[in-house]
Amino acid sequence: MTSTQNKGKAIFRVVSGNFLEMYDFMVYGFYATAIAKTFFPADSAFASLMLSLATFGAGFLMRPLGAIFLGAYIDRHGRRQGLLITLGLMAIGTLLIACVPGYNSIGLAAPLLVLLGRLLQGFSAGVELGGVSVYLAEISTPGRKGFFVSWQSASQQAAVVFAGLLGVALNHWLSPEEMGDWGWRVPFFVGCLIVPALFIIRRSLEESPEFEARKHRPSLGEVMRSIRQNFGLVLAGMALVVMTTVSFYLITAYTPTFGKSELHLTDLQSLLVTMCVGVSNFIWLPVMGSVSDRIGRKPLLVGATVLAIITAYPALSWLVAHPSFGNLLIVELWLSFLYGSYNGAMVVALTEIMPAEVRTTGFSLAYSLATATFGGFTPAACTWLIHALDNRAAPGIWLTGAAILGLIATLNLFKAKGAASGRLQTAS
């Protein structure tokens, strides 16, 4: 077996759990309206939906804690063992959401148990992305780090497509009433059923040679001290991540809700667009990861953020003025290109700026803070902005703000010619 074959198998094994993490998040976003009616009944549909989306966002608040504690565990005990733990926590959270009876059956316990499931998912996800990204960076071949690390995000797109396909099938087989009553639970049960296979796949994962060669394994206290010393770098990394996490959740998790509630498209049309976005993301991410290996990270980061600032709000304004399946697809595919261009360079750049001894913790904390404060609340923020501003194009404002922050972070990180910036500017 060749080295390339070995590394291809390692990529598949490590991203398999990443697939489940994103699948779980997607199906919650896809069926937020049905979940709202089941667990969060309220006098108005807007209030019910906001409660459901806020619970979706609440899971992201646990990510920083997962990043710190699980990240420190992985930096001390290894990538393989920590990634098995995150998979188990994700599975428990998914099972809770799938099985909890509705509000009409058990009252307040229903939304509380759903919230607990989301918090468990968020805690595990806090280090899942970082653990996978760092592992891929450490096993990459010279000059191809961007391409290797891009498969972390690409695996998420496979989850988006799979969740979308399942949603299309369910909408074909079941009536809208059946989907609202119980059909939305089916994707969660499917997620539970694939967990055993993912455990078997991930258990065969080998530890990264770079981690095994490291003589010193930092304790939790040492990790915390290093994070405090490098917290400015973590905050800069957080700002860098905001653009990618906002754009991702806008074009995937929020699309079904936006298409149905604001553009008055059918569930099937919105899910088909989301599937196309997932395919588009899956193509652009490794392509742009490879491009960043050739030309460096900065050109892609700057170019994507500038284009987003210029086009995001005008594109959404045009869409709401001319709502249709085709126009939603055009706008979403454009935003997918911007996301793929930015994220293809951003994730690998984030692994490169973090100190090696706390790479998983630092990466995960930066990513988790961005997701907890901006990205995870994108569906709720967009829904509120539309309502508050009486402007259905308001999600474009949210994305523009994220792009501005990403541009500032990029220029700040690349301004200095020190060691960290030098690693970023040189294609690794």
Side-chain angles (χ1 to χ4, degrees):
M1 184 179 293
T2 67
S3 176
T4 299
Q5 289 174 323
N6 279 328
K7 290 189 176 181
K9 290 181 178 180
I11 290 173
F12 173 74
R13 288 166 182 158
V14 75
V15 302
S16 61
N18 205 201
F19 171 93
L20 177 65
E21 183 260 332
M22 189 48 57
Y23 172 83
D24 291 342
F25 276 60
M26 285 302 102
V27 294
Y28 191 104
F30 288 176
Y31 303 105
T33 302
I35 292 172
K37 293 177 181 177
T38 303
F39 298 114
F40 305 96
D43 293 334
S44 73
F46 169 73
S48 181
L49 180 59
M50 281 299 296
L51 286 170
S52 177
L53 293 177
T55 301
F56 177 78
F60 294 93
L61 296 177
M62 289 294 289
R63 285 195 172 200
L65 290 178
I68 292 171
F69 291 103
L70 293 178
Y73 180 90
I74 289 176
D75 280 327
R76 182 168 181 81
H77 297 283
R79 318 312 187 198
R80 176 185 176 276
Q81 186 64 30
L83 289 173
L84 284 172
I85 292 174
T86 65
L87 184 59
L89 291 173
M90 276 188 283
I92 295 171
T94 303
L95 187 63
L96 267 177
I97 298 173
C99 297
V100 171
Y103 185 91
N104 291 336
S105 298
I106 60 175
L108 187 60
L112 290 178
L113 286 171
V114 170
L115 177 61
L116 176 61
R118 288 290 300 127
L119 294 178
L120 281 173
Q121 288 179 333
F123 186 75
S124 66
V127 79
E128 173 71 19
L129 297 181
V132 170
S133 299
V134 167
Y135 183 88
L136 292 172
E138 291 180 348
I139 68 167
S140 64
T141 54
R144 303 193 71 197
K145 188 181 291 185
F147 175 75
F148 269 68
V149 176
S150 70
W151 287 103
Q152 177 267 113
S153 299
S155 68
Q156 297 178 346
Q157 314 316 312
V160 172
V161 175
F162 180 71
L165 280 171
L166 185 56
V168 169
L170 288 172
N171 275 276
H172 176 73
W173 293 327
L174 302 176
S175 68
E177 291 75 20
E178 290 173 322
M179 280 300 300
D181 288 342
W182 58 270
W184 64 267
R185 292 184 185 268
V186 173
F188 287 97
F189 282 117
V190 170
C192 294
L193 290 175
I194 64 176
V195 167
L198 295 181
F199 261 111
I200 293 172
I201 292 170
R202 188 166 270 189
R203 280 187 65 188
S204 64
L205 188 68
E206 296 179 0
E207 190 55 77
S208 78
E210 182 176 331
F211 178 83
E212 287 187 325
R214 197 171 300 150
K215 292 185 169 54
H216 178 66
R217 310 288 172 83
S219 65
L220 177 60
E222 289 173 318
V223 168
M224 295 300 293
R225 282 194 296 273
S226 181
I227 291 297
R228 283 197 300 271
Q229 292 167 359
N230 292 280
F231 197 66
L233 192 59
V234 171
L235 289 179
M238 167 191 165
L240 196 68
V241 175
V242 168
M243 164 66 178
T244 203
T245 187
V246 165
S247 57
F248 176 74
Y249 285 105
L250 178 65
I251 64 177
T252 55
Y254 184 60
T255 291
T257 299
F258 182 74
K260 181 177 181 179
S261 301
E262 308 304 333
L263 303 182
H264 307 295
L265 302 178
T266 65
D267 287 336
L268 179 60
Q269 288 174 320
S270 297
L271 285 170
L272 284 173
V273 170
T274 307
M275 285 172 51
C276 291
V277 166
V279 172
S280 174
N281 291 345
F282 186 83
I283 294 169
W284 285 120
L285 284 163
V287 168
M288 292 306 180
S290 293
V291 170
S292 79
D293 286 331
R294 293 179 177 273
I295 68 173
R297 321 303 180 199
K298 183 179 179 180
L300 285 179
L301 295 173
V302 172
T305 51
V306 169
L307 285 173
I309 292 167
I310 294 172
T311 64
Y313 183 73
L316 267 293
S317 297
W318 174 77
L319 175 60
V320 299
H322 307 90
S324 71
F325 169 79
N327 290 346
L328 177 61
L329 181 61
I330 290 170
V331 170
E332 294 278 2
L333 289 180
W334 169 246
L335 296 179
S336 166
F337 168 73
L338 297 181
Y339 161 76
S341 300
Y342 186 85
N343 197 66
M346 188 283 299
V347 177
V348 64
L350 194 58
T351 67
E352 291 168 339
I353 66 174
M354 293 298 166
E357 67 274 10
V358 291
R359 186 173 289 150
T360 302
T361 309
F363 180 106
S364 300
L365 186 56
Y367 212 108
S368 298
L369 288 171
T371 310
T373 52
F374 293 95
F377 286 95
T378 287
C382 291
T383 301
W384 181 83
L385 283 171
I386 291 170
H387 182 78
L389 301 177
D390 193 24
N391 181 358
R392 290 182 297 158
I397 300 173
W398 185 249
L399 180 55
T400 301
I404 292 172
L405 191 57
L407 179 60
I408 293 171
T410 297
L411 295 177
N412 180 61
L413 282 169
F414 285 89
K415 181 173 62 176
K417 298 296 182 180
S421 294
R423 285 196 300 272
L424 284 168
Q425 291 183 358
T426 303
S428 299

